[in-house]
C-alpha cells in the first residue's frame, strides 16, 4: 500500500523518524505529545524558548511527516466579525510510526489471525482454513491494487512482494524471498506461519494476474519459506522461443 506521496508506508515511517533527529524538532514533538489539548505556535515557542518562526517551521515539518495533525480554532472562544483568524493548532497524530530493519509486519499477522478466529467461531470452520482463506483474499486485494495495465510482468510481482516486506531477489529462474515479515513467529508456529505466507503470496499472484509463476514451500536458511518458480507452461513457452531458428 502507498502513502499519500506515493512511497511505501515503511519508507514513510523511516522519513518520519528521521525528522526527529533535529533537536529542536524533537523537543517540540515531545512538548505537543504531552498535552491532551492541541497546542499553538506561540505556546510551544514560549515554553521551549524558541523564536516563533522557528517553532512554526518545525511544527509544520512534523505535520508534513504525519507525526502531528493540524486543526484550526479561535482560542478566545469569540466568533463572527472582529473575532480574528483561527489559530493553527497541533496535536499528536493517531498514525503509528514503526521502523524495523529487516522489515517486519506483525500487525498484518495479528489482523489475519484475529479475523480467522472470528470466522472460525461464526462459520464453524477450522482456524487454519479461515486463516488460509483470509491470507489469500488479502494477497489478491494487494496484488490487484498494484497490478500494471496490460500484460503482467515479474516487475509488477516484485513490486507487490516488496510492498509486503518480502525482499524478493532472483535465484536462477526462481524468485526467492530474502525476508519473512513474520520471522519471530516462525520458530514456534512454523506450519501455521509458512502456510499463511504461501496463501498470501498465492493471492498476490492471482491479484497481479501472473499466471507464469507458481508459489511453493521451499524452506532454506536465510530465506522465507516460499519460493516462486516458473510454471511448466511458461517454461515450455520460453524454451520454445529460445529454440526458434533466427530469421
Amino acid at each position: 500500500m502507498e502513502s499519500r506521496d506515493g512511497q511505501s508506508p515503511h519508507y514513510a515511517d523511516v522519513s518520519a523518524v528521521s525528522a526527529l533527529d533535529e533537536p529542536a524538532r524533537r523537543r517540540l514533538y515531545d512538548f505537543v505529545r504531552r498535552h491532551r489539548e492541541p497546542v499553538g505556535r506561540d505556546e510551544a515557542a514560549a515554553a521551549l524558548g524558541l523564536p516563533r518562526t522557528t517553532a512554526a517551521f518545525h511544527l509544520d515539518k512534523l505535520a508534513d511527516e504525519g507525526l502531528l495533525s493540524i486543526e484550526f480554532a479561535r482560542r478566545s472562544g469569540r466568533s463572527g466579525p472582529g473575532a480574528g483568524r483561527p489559530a493553527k493548532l497541533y496535536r499528536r497524530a493517531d498514525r503509528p510510526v514503526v521502523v524495523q530493519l529487516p522489515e517486519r509486519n506483525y500487525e498484518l499477522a495479528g489482523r489475519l489471525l484475529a479475523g480467522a478466529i472470528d470466522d472460525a467461531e461464526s462459520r464453524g470452520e477450522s482456524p487454519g482454513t479461515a486463516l488460509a482463506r483470509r491470507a489469500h483474499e488479502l494477497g489478491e486485494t494487494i496484488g490487484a491494487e498494484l497490478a500494471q495495465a496490460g500484460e503482467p510482468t515479474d516487475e509488477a510481482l516484485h513490486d507487490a512482494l516488496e510492498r509486503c516486506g518480502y525482499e524478493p531477489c532472483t535465484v536462477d529462474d526462481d524468485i526467492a524471498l530474502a525476508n519473512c515479515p513474520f520471522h519471530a513467529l516462525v520458530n514456534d508456529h512454523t506450519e501455521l506461519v509458512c502456510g499463511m505466507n504461501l496463501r498470501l503470496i498465492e493471492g498476490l499472484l492471482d491479484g497481479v494476474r501472473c499466471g507464469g509463476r507458481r508459489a511453493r514451500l521451499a524452506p532454506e536458511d536465510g530465506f522465507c519459506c516460499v519460493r516462486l518458480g516458473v510454471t511448466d507452461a511458461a517454461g515450455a513457452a520460453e524454451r520454445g522461443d529460445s529454440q526458434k531458428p533466427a530469421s
Side-chain angles (χ1 to χ4, degrees), residues 36-237:
R36 293 183 60 84
E37 298 299 320
V39 172
R41 292 172 168 179
D42 292 332
E43 179 184 356
L48 300 181
L50 297 172
R52 185 182 186 280
T53 54
T54 300
F57 170 79
H58 288 305
L59 288 167
D60 284 341
K61 178 65 175 177
L62 290 167
D64 289 342
E65 294 290 350
L67 293 167
L68 299 180
S69 60
I70 295 174
E71 56 191 70
F72 294 88
R74 292 186 172 89
R75 305 303 290 268
S76 65
R78 298 169 56 192
S79 61
R85 297 175 59 186
K88 192 174 188 178
L89 307 175
Y90 305 83
R91 66 167 72 241
R92 185 184 65 182
D94 291 333
R95 180 179 78 87
V97 174
V98 179
V99 175
Q100 290 181 304
L101 301 173
E103 187 172 353
R104 304 293 185 231
N105 200 337
Y106 300 117
E107 179 183 353
L108 175 59
R111 287 195 286 115
L112 285 172
L113 290 165
I117 292 173
D118 285 345
D119 288 350
E121 292 181 348
S122 62
R123 302 184 182 189
E125 59 186 350
S126 72
T129 299
L131 178 61
R133 177 174 44 76
R134 278 193 169 253
H136 186 276
E137 289 173 353
L138 178 61
E140 191 170 18
T141 298
I142 295 171
E145 290 175 353
L146 297 172
Q148 297 178 349
E151 192 69 21
T153 63
D154 271 3
E155 182 179 355
L157 181 57
H158 270 259
D159 188 32
L161 292 165
E162 190 71 47
R163 302 293 177 106
C164 292
Y166 283 109
E167 297 183 10
C169 58
T170 302
V171 177
D172 298 325
D173 290 333
D174 284 354
I175 297 176
L177 308 175
N179 183 53
C180 174
F182 318 119
H183 178 74
L185 304 175
V186 172
N187 287 340
D188 293 334
H189 309 283
T190 304
E191 185 176 350
L192 184 73
V193 175
C194 289
M196 180 173 67
N197 268 321
L198 179 62
R199 292 297 288 155
L200 179 62
I201 293 170
E202 287 175 339
L204 282 173
L205 287 171
D206 291 342
V208 298
R209 303 186 303 278
C210 188
R213 291 280 179 183
R214 181 179 64 84
R216 69 184 190 277
L217 290 176
E220 181 179 343
D221 288 344
F223 291 91
C224 174
C225 55
V226 178
R227 282 211 176 192
L228 294 88
V230 178
T231 62
D232 292 340

